[in-house]
Amino acid sequence: MTGDEKMKRMKELVQLLNKAGKAYYSESGEIMSNFEYDRLYDELKQLEQETGSVLSDSPTVHVGYEALSSLPKEAHEKPMLSLDKTKSVDTLIAWLGSQEALLSWKMDGLTVVLTYENGELQKAVTRGNGLIGEIVTNNARVFKNLPLHIPYKGKLILRGEAIITYSDFNRINEELPETEAKYKNPRNLCAGAVRQLNNKITEQRNVRFYAFALVQADGVDFKNSREEQFKWLASLGFTVVAYRRVTGATLPDAVSWFEKEIVKNDFPSDGLVLLLDDIAYGDSLGTTAKFPRNAMAFKWKDETADTTLRDVEWLASRTGLINPVAVFDEVELEGTKVRRASVHNVSIVESLKLGIGDTIRVFKANMIIPQIAENLTGSGTLPIPETCPVCGAKTVIREEGDVRTLYCPNPDCQAKHVKAFAHFASRDAMNIDGLSEMTLEKFIQSGFVHTFRDLYHLDRYRAEIVAMKGFGDKFFDNLMAAVEASRDTSITRVIYGFGIAGIGIATAHLIVDAIGQDPDRLMNATTGQLTAINGIGMTAAQAWTQFFADPVKRKDFEDVLAEVRLERETSSRQESVEGKTFVITGSVKHFANRSALRDLIVSMGGKVSGSVSSKTSYLINNDTESTSTKNQTAKKLGVPVISEDAFLKLAGREDLL
């Protein structure tokens, strides 16, 4: 390239990298992979070295981005610089020389600076742009593992990473209503949680803090050792990032140990940090304009493979988001065979300039998640779908910040009701073993299932299902056997399977007991007939009548009835207590106290818990229409709320009424 061409390319890279950095740091979004960012960043640094020029807004001299929320701002007492990085263990060894150092995880969350005075947490500030951050003290007070009071009474300043574990991330996503978009990754969720204006939300998200640097603690002798600082912080109650002490000779084995451990971690990390143990020597090295010289980051040297893009599947999810997934010729990465990789959103599709038949380079991010590193062809010929692949509705592109995503706006799209199909197939409903949410999502995305009745005709797609990854002939035969077995059922199970609001299995039992087992009489029941039943309130009665007044829902119900063989329920009032979990709340009328009712449940083989969860079978509350926290939680989780009378009938203990 000529000098002019190099300068033009530098300007392009600065603009692109700053845009990506803004999305990542200030907007909790992502428009390119870390691999792609690092590659472009390295290209920019090389061009700056070749030309001797550095643009004023280059990310190689500016750290982070201005925060855009309404949180108050504050300047850091000491600038927060990023770390120089390498993917070469040999480079780490050469940098370390004869010194000893601490090798630790480079955690992938949001960096926070904490200040304690007189043993109390006084202030918490985010990294921000490295010079000025946002004050998030109230949010830090609800971090799950952070000590609010410590025995050290001097001024203490430390830095650490706020993170959300993978298990909490998955739990939070699972608890979101189907209509809400799921969070993309723990880092984005954590960034939003730490920067909340309401710290109640922060507390609910189980943010944790891992200390990785001591900035100030006057009057303490650390014997000139960073490790002593870590041990001291741990003694005060802080969770310190896991580390290993290393020399140049032991460094390769230590890196290998971390490499093996990463797949076991419940927390996100994007590499390692090598920090000199000798405090005085490290400080004497000073800093560059961007990097401190006492530490270096190590990023995994991603194993890459070139392959051919064969297809991009656009998969509609229960949130309405339509996710692009690349399908390519199979390659081996990090010891496993890979042929699919998520592309995340329209912005990344466009930035990669994808087209079918392109030669792409793939890798595993953090050695776990397959991703496209770059497109070596860059044809840019891949069309963005104009209709939803599941329901056919016209798609829309939504823009949040600089991130463009594809959505299906149709509220009745089958992909948005995976949980409804899973409920229909659940044990207490139609009991179709083998139909997990993941399996149902694949069937719906493939167009095999549109209504509940379609579950009884999956045999039409035997060839397609058997060919799917993870399935096969045995799975299909077992599934068809379960579908056939589910045809012999009861009207109560069918009712419960349709998930009518407020109609749990116990309520369905009560209605069938009172109205009878004739489907026509049940579908035509009035609110007056229903509220006359002991234990049925107006809310449940209206939900019932509104459901069957909807011609589409009524037809779906009738279609399922045409597929099943209803068995006469000889004792629909009785249900085994054994193995079920109950929560008791409110006052009781047939027992001396709640403990007496608990003893009865335990004597019948049941369990009693103090809080409502997804594992709760029933919440017993004589005020079934209460808006108490337990009732609301039960409703959200689909746990039936039954009265004491209803419980005794179900348990076959009418003698106690």
Side-chain angles (χ1 to χ4, degrees):
M1 285 192 289
T2 65
D4 289 342
E5 289 172 337
K6 289 180 179 179
M7 184 58 66
K8 180 180 179 182
R9 178 57 176 165
M10 285 169 59
K11 291 179 179 179
E12 291 174 351
L13 290 171
V14 167
Q15 182 179 12
L16 181 58
L17 289 169
N18 283 342
K19 183 178 180 181
K22 179 183 177 184
Y24 185 83
Y25 287 108
S26 296
E27 297 166 356
S28 303
E30 189 172 334
I31 60 174
M32 68 172 62
S33 68
N34 286 338
F35 185 102
E36 179 69 2
Y37 184 94
D38 289 344
R39 186 181 69 81
L40 296 178
Y41 183 93
D42 290 342
E43 181 186 351
L44 176 60
K45 282 185 64 177
Q46 181 63 35
L47 288 172
E48 288 175 345
Q49 291 174 3
E50 292 176 5
T51 61
S53 298
V54 179
L55 300 172
S56 62
D57 56 347
S58 171
T60 65
V61 293
H62 285 274
V63 181
Y65 298 86
E66 288 293 338
L68 301 178
S69 78
S70 58
L71 290 167
K73 312 284 194 306
E74 179 172 292
H76 294 295
E77 292 192 20
K78 293 185 178 181
M80 295 188 64
L81 304 177
S82 60
L83 295 177
D84 199 0
K85 62 182 181 293
T86 181
K87 292 187 177 183
S88 167
V89 175
D90 289 339
T91 300
L92 282 184
I93 294 172
W95 178 86
L96 182 57
S98 61
Q99 292 291 315
E100 294 188 6
L102 308 181
L103 186 66
S104 64
W105 295 112
K106 184 175 181 294
M107 307 191 81
D108 192 17
L110 191 71
T111 301
V112 177
V113 184
L114 303 179
T115 301
Y116 287 75
E117 292 186 35
N118 197 30
E120 306 286 334
L121 175 64
Q122 296 295 323
K123 187 168 53 182
V125 184
T126 66
R127 180 177 187 271
N129 67 355
L131 298 175
I132 299 174
E134 296 170 313
I135 300 174
V136 291
T137 310
N138 286 338
N139 296 342
R141 294 186 193 280
V142 297
F143 287 177
K144 290 302 178 184
N145 62 335
L146 191 68
L148 299 181
H149 314 279
I150 58 175
Y152 176 69
K153 302 305 179 185
K155 185 174 183 179
L156 168 65
I157 302 176
L158 71 155
R159 296 171 181 168
E161 199 81 351
I163 63 103
I164 290 177
T165 63
Y166 286 121
S167 53
D168 280 329
F169 170 75
N170 293 332
R171 173 187 57 79
I172 291 167
N173 263 347
E174 288 172 1
E175 290 176 355
L176 286 175
E178 293 181 28
T179 54
E180 292 189 21
K182 307 298 182 185
Y183 297 104
K184 181 178 176 181
N185 56 51
R187 192 266 168 197
N188 290 358
L189 176 59
C190 183
V194 173
R195 299 169 66 216
Q196 282 290 328
L197 297 178
N198 182 353
N199 69 351
K200 182 178 180 181
I201 298 175
T202 308
E203 182 177 29
Q204 293 170 343
R205 292 181 181 173
N206 284 3
V207 178
R208 300 174 190 277
F209 179 85
Y210 286 78
F212 62 68
L214 176 62
V215 179
Q216 178 180 335
D218 296 333
V220 182
D221 181 11
F222 295 114
K223 303 184 178 82
N224 195 38
S225 169
R226 294 292 180 188
E227 185 173 20
E228 289 298 318
Q229 290 183 338
F230 278 13
K231 290 178 179 179
W232 183 73
L233 287 172
S235 74
L236 296 180
F238 293 98
T239 302
V240 177
V241 62
Y243 68 89
R244 298 187 74 174
R245 190 180 184 95
V246 297
T247 63
T250 62
L251 185 55
D253 287 342
V255 171
S256 296
W257 181 85
F258 278 100
E259 185 176 322
K260 293 173 183 175
E261 287 294 308
I262 192 172
V263 296
K264 305 175 187 176
N265 287 348
D266 191 31
F267 55 82
S269 64
D270 56 359
L272 303 174
V273 173
L274 188 64
L275 172 66
L276 293 176
D277 184 60
D278 188 320
I279 298 174
Y281 175 72
D283 289 347
S284 72
L285 298 177
T287 67
T288 67
K290 184 176 174 64
F291 307 122
R293 289 194 170 102
N294 69 338
M296 178 173 279
F298 173 79
K299 302 198 77 173
W300 310 112
K301 189 172 183 179
D302 301 302
E303 180 182 346
T304 64
D306 294 349
T307 183
T308 301
L309 182 66
R310 297 301 180 186
D311 190 17
V312 172
E313 297 177 355
W314 294 84
L315 304 181
S317 71
R318 64 193 68 178
T319 66
L321 179 65
I322 302 177
N323 301 291
V325 176
V327 182
F328 42 82
D329 291 341
E330 191 174 86
V331 293
E332 186 166 316
L333 293 172
E334 311 293 349
T336 61
K337 293 181 178 179
V338 177
R339 62 183 301 269
R340 297 166 65 86
S342 174
V343 192
H344 300 301
N345 54 52
V346 173
S347 291
I348 294 180
V349 169
E350 293 173 340
S351 68
L352 288 170
K353 298 180 181 179
L354 293 180
I356 305 304
D358 284 357
T359 298
I360 58 175
R361 180 162 293 160
V362 295
F363 73 109
K364 280 189 176 181
N366 294 336
M367 301 190 297
I368 298 174
I369 305 170
Q371 290 189 7
I372 298 177
E374 57 183 315
N375 183 359
L376 304 180
T377 305
S379 67
T381 57
L382 184 73
I384 307 301
E386 296 182 355
T387 59
C388 172
V390 172
C391 69
K394 185 175 178 59
T395 57
V396 296
I397 292 180
R398 297 180 184 173
E399 295 192 30
E400 296 181 13
D402 292 317
V403 180
R404 287 159 47 86
T405 50
L406 190 68
Y407 278 86
C408 171
N410 177 16
D412 295 320
C413 179
Q414 294 84 2
K416 296 182 180 180
H417 302 290
V418 172
K419 286 188 181 293
F421 282 92
H423 174 78
F424 180 84
S426 66
R427 184 185 62 184
D428 289 337
M430 302 310 293
N431 193 25
I432 306 176
D433 190 34
L435 280 179
S436 66
E437 286 191 24
M438 186 177 296
T439 297
L440 282 163
E441 194 157 21
K442 289 181 179 179
F443 287 178
I444 291 170
Q445 290 170 343
S446 300
F448 304 159
V449 175
H450 298 277
T451 67
F452 292 152
R453 187 178 195 176
D454 291 335
L455 296 175
Y456 290 93
H457 297 284
L458 290 170
D459 54 313
R460 300 169 180 168
Y461 306 102
R462 180 185 181 102
E464 293 91 333
I465 293 173
V466 167
M468 284 182 167
K469 184 178 180 180
F471 295 138
D473 289 312
K474 185 176 181 180
F475 168 85
F476 184 84
D477 291 341
N478 289 340
L479 176 60
M480 288 300 96
V483 168
E484 189 58 34
S486 75
R487 291 182 186 272
D488 294 311
T489 189
S490 67
I491 188 65
T492 300
R493 283 179 172 272
V494 176
I495 293 168
Y496 176 63
F498 270 80
I500 304 170
I503 309 297
I505 188 69
T507 306
H509 273 305
L510 292 176
I511 294 174
V512 171
D513 278 342
I515 305 294
Q517 299 182 40
D518 179 67
D520 287 333
R521 290 185 62 190
L522 290 165
M523 286 188 286
N524 294 314
T526 64
T527 54
Q529 289 176 294
L530 294 166
T531 53
I533 302 170
N534 184 26
I536 304 299
M538 180 57 73
T539 301
Q542 289 178 338
W544 180 283
T545 55
Q546 288 170 5
F547 178 88
F548 286 111
D550 185 318
V552 174
K553 293 177 180 176
R554 188 179 181 113
K555 183 178 185 304
D556 286 344
F557 188 83
E558 292 172 337
D559 285 346
V560 169
L561 290 179
E563 297 292 338
V564 301
R565 298 178 286 269
L566 294 180
E567 301 171 338
R568 189 72 185 172
E569 297 180 67
T570 56
S571 181
S572 63
R573 291 186 177 186
Q574 295 188 17
E575 184 172 315
S576 174
V577 173
E578 186 174 2
K580 290 185 170 58
T581 300
F582 297 83
V583 174
I584 308 168
T585 189
S587 60
V588 293
K589 59 184 180 180
H590 297 299
F591 297 85
N593 49 45
R594 291 204 298 259
S595 294
L597 174 54
R598 180 194 63 199
D599 292 342
L600 174 65
I601 293 171
V602 173
S603 71
M604 299 178 71
K607 301 176 183 178
V608 178
S609 174
S611 59
V612 179
S613 71
S614 58
K615 296 181 180 179
T616 304
S617 305
Y618 295 98
L619 171 62
I620 301 175
N621 186 353
N622 280 322
D623 186 0
T624 57
E625 299 299 315
S626 167
T627 57
S628 67
T629 300
K630 286 183 178 177
N631 275 37
Q632 290 178 343
T633 302
K635 183 177 180 181
K636 180 179 178 181
L637 297 175
V639 174
V641 182
I642 63 174
S643 66
E644 189 182 346
D645 288 357
F647 165 74
L648 292 173
K649 290 178 181 179
L650 291 175
R653 293 304 306 270
E654 290 93 336
D655 57 302
L656 297 177
L657 291 172

